[in-house]
Amino acid sequence: MTDKIRVRFAPSPTGFLHIGGARTALYNYLFTRRHNGKFIFRIEDTDQTRSTDEYIEAIIDGMKWLGLSWDEGPFRQTQRQDVYLSHVQKLLEQGKAYYCYCSADVLEKKRELAMTQKRPPGYDGTCRELKNPPTDAVNPVVRFKMPTVGETTVSDLIRGNVTFNNNTLDDFIILRSDGMPTYNFVVVIDDIDMGITHVIRGDDHLNNTPKQIQIYQALGCPVPLFAHLPMILGADKKRLSKRHGAVSVSAYRDMGYLPEALLNYLVRLGWSHGDQEVFTMQEMIDAFALDKVGSSSTVFNPEKLLWINAEHIKKHSPEELIPLVMPFLIEQCIVGSEYSPDIDWLSKAIATLIERSRTLVELAHSLRYYISDDIKIDETAGKKFLNNDTLPLLNSVITSLKELKDFSAASIEKLFIDLMAKHDVKLGKLAQPIRVALTGNTVSPGIYEVLELLGKEISINRIQKAINSISNSE
Ligand code: GLU
């Protein structure tokens, strides 16, 4: 393929950028980057009752956060009304569209009648051949004249040929009585104007496609290639929605997911490349192929997303993770916004946690005991490991640590080995009470590293505090 490829992502701003939209955007992005084409971003805001500026901002923010950069746009359909109206006019003049004066009431009655007679409920063409408007005519709509015979075939890159009987497609409205053009019309005008060669979108639009193809043909324009992506489902095999949990991209950002991990997970929802699960963006671009996209729906699996996220966290160096985890440290009130960390020290602390953190939220949570003295001792862990039985060990550790000159992990390890021999205990017996005293919990990175990173003073203070609390509870 050549550099002529032009694709677009065209969300309607009637909600936040969601998982399904992000996957559509990603597939467009990968396809066009793979073939050195152009990626156009278009906001389809003709439905003014449901579109909001807040959603537009959120969608743009979501795309930026995901790193799905576009080459042209974002265009807004509400700013292109003149273009659409001129094409409506053209179709009217050529007799390919017509004014329809049927009132909403009349249409509703016709619809009900059709339903009871088990006929398709589409428009019956009353105004199709009307020579003159009725005398009481007000605010007509404009309808597109669909062919009444023959077939329209969508040749879809994912599903193959899908054929529709034209007699099942009614004369749909292209301009509403309030002067607003409709989706099925403007989408075609935009795709023509913007030179779109491949329309890659969700398969909820497949039924719209034959209508759109007819508009291309009526305007004498080439029809782009289509690729309709299969739906993403929830665990119950119903279309993924809020009922299934978080579905907006921003929710995953707030839960501490990395954008590249979310994209990596999404790319595999419907596309595969051998057994490979973990991809960098470049690997996705190099490997992505539309003809490897399956036509059946896939189930969204939050556990797998979490696993992929952990894999991507491991790909980062501790230094790279500092700016990423910072907002979560602030959000969890572990540091204030003015916090300026000792980069070397914080990197070492993060290094001990990379393998154990599946999200940035978890990483921030674990960093608490390194950064802040405000640690809470887990009740069960406290009862089990900070008590009269462990008191002699805690006292012994604190005495030895006070004397230790070189407070490095290696020296601390030697000190622990001596203490284990002295008290005739295994490491667990000695380390667990110290771990709980230092971190508040029974799980942490290696105890020697934790001690070194906390430093002598803080370590001793926390162990002392634990000793005091045992003595006070007597
Ligand atoms: N605006 C439509 C939507 O958000 C997409 C239309 C299209 O891609 O053709 O579902």
Side-chain angles (χ1 to χ4, degrees), residues 82 115 139 203 335 419:
D82 294 350
M115 298 294 270
N139 299 341
D203 70 4
V335 301
L419 287 176

Side-chain angles (χ1 to χ4, degrees), residues 8-14 18 24 42-45 77 183 187 191 199-202 204-205 212:
R8 82 307 193 266
F9 175 53
S12 304
T14 53
H18 56 84
T24 301
R42 183 170 79 221
I43 305 288
E44 303 210 316
D45 57 349
Q77 290 183 324
Y183 159 70
V187 74
D191 286 342
V199 172
I200 305 170
R201 62 183 172 196
D204 47 336
H205 286 290
Q212 296 174 11

Side-chain angles (χ1 to χ4, degrees), residues 15-16 94 130 139 172 213 228 244 264 289-291 462 467:
F16 296 105
Q94 294 175 351
L130 215 59
N139 299 341
F172 60 98
I213 288 177
H228 286 96
H244 298 102
N264 181 166
L290 268 182
D291 57 14
R462 287 194 194 167
I467 291 172

Side-chain angles (χ1 to χ4, degrees), residues 20-252:
R23 188 196 52 171
T24 301
L26 173 65
Y27 281 18
N28 274 287
Y29 177 87
L30 294 177
F31 179 68
T32 199
R33 292 290 174 258
R34 169 103 200 259
H35 299 294
N36 294 318
K38 293 277 186 244
F39 183 33
I40 288 108
F41 185 15
R42 183 170 79 221
I43 305 288
E44 303 210 316
D45 57 349
T46 48
D47 183 351
Q48 285 184 309
T49 53
R50 294 170 62 220
S51 300
T52 70
D53 285 347
E54 190 200 351
Y55 290 140
I56 293 177
E57 281 307 310
I59 293 170
I60 294 174
D61 280 356
M63 290 287 284
K64 286 185 182 161
W65 180 72
L66 288 171
L68 298 177
S69 54
W70 54 92
D71 304 303
E72 294 171 28
F75 299 106
R76 284 181 65 165
Q77 290 183 324
T78 42
Q79 289 165 355
R80 293 173 40 80
Q81 295 297 74
D82 294 350
V83 180
Y84 309 132
L85 295 182
S86 71
H87 282 92
V88 172
Q89 205 50 44
K90 195 162 138 194
L91 289 178
L92 280 168
E93 281 160 15
Q94 294 175 351
K96 292 175 178 167
Y98 61 91
Y99 287 107
C100 166
Y101 302 91
C102 298
S103 69
D105 278 355
V106 168
L107 290 174
E108 183 54 26
K109 290 210 178 79
K110 286 182 188 203
R111 207 184 62 83
E112 280 166 13
L113 185 66
M115 298 294 270
T116 52
Q117 294 175 345
K118 301 216 166 8
R119 284 187 287 112
Y123 183 61
D124 65 358
T126 303
C127 298
R128 190 170 162 123
E129 304 303 338
L130 215 59
K131 292 280 173 302
N132 296 304
T135 43
D136 57 349
V138 279
N139 299 341
V141 300
V142 176
R143 289 184 185 271
F144 179 70
K145 238 184 217 180
M146 286 293 288
T148 51
V149 292
E151 292 173 336
T152 306
T153 297
V154 181
S155 31
D156 191 274
L157 293 169
I158 295 172
R159 305 173 155 257
N161 284 353
V162 187
T163 299
F164 296 80
N165 252 329
N166 289 341
N167 65 11
T168 62
L169 309 168
D170 69 345
D171 291 352
F172 60 98
I173 296 173
I174 57 174
L175 189 71
R176 285 194 281 261
S177 56
D178 63 1
M180 284 301 283
T182 59
Y183 159 70
N184 270 321
F185 182 66
V186 296
V187 74
V188 174
I189 304 302
D190 283 343
D191 286 342
I192 293 170
D193 258 21
M194 296 173 191
I196 300 304
T197 56
H198 294 70
V199 172
I200 305 170
R201 62 183 172 196
D203 70 4
D204 47 336
H205 286 290
L206 184 60
N207 287 335
N208 288 322
T209 309
K211 298 180 186 173
Q212 296 174 11
I213 288 177
Q214 287 298 333
I215 304 244
Y216 282 101
Q217 289 172 346
L219 293 168
C221 295
V223 180
L225 294 169
F226 290 96
H228 286 96
L229 308 175
M231 286 287 100
I232 302 176
L233 308 177
D236 57 1
K237 303 279 165 69
K238 302 238 167 70
R239 192 178 168 175
L240 188 68
S241 75
K242 279 191 200 131
R243 286 181 299 113
H244 298 102
V247 284
S248 73
V249 166
S250 57
Y252 285 92

Side-chain angles (χ1 to χ4, degrees), residues 443-459:
V443 184
S444 82
I447 194 69
Y448 312 132
E449 289 162 290
V450 173
L451 279 156
E452 178 184 318
L453 281 160
L454 285 175
K456 188 166 179 172
E457 194 185 329
I458 292 176
S459 299

